[in-house]
Amino acid sequence: MTVVVTRDVAPRIRGFLASCMLEIGPGVYTAPRMTQAVRERVWSVMREWYGELGGGSILMTWLDSQ
């Protein structure tokens, strides 16, 4: 399970996350079965946009089976 928690980020980032994950609470997104490739792509997009837009914080966590 992948979980992303955001705080005071641009609406663009929240909209992107809502398009690929379930928003279970304000600024809290989850995906029960997100592959590593998809997770890395989502993180890459968020990192790029956060660098451009700044503000707030983003935290991503997932179960690592290693």
Side-chain angles (χ1 to χ4, degrees):
M1 174 173 289
T2 302
V3 177
V4 176
V5 179
T6 64
R7 189 182 58 133
D8 299 327
V9 295
R12 178 181 184 183
I13 293 173
R14 292 189 64 184
F16 170 70
L17 288 171
S19 75
C20 55
M21 301 177 81
L22 177 64
E23 186 173 15
I24 59 172
V28 181
Y29 305 85
T30 187
R33 292 183 181 90
M34 183 177 280
T35 66
Q36 179 179 351
V38 172
R39 184 178 65 242
E40 289 173 354
R41 179 64 181 140
V42 167
W43 185 252
S44 174
V45 168
M46 288 191 301
R47 226 174 70 187
E48 180 181 335
W49 289 358
Y50 184 81
E52 294 172 6
L53 304 170
S57 63
I58 303 170
L59 171 102
M60 178 184 273
T61 185
W62 64 93
L63 175 63
D64 188 2
S65 59
Q66 295 181 15

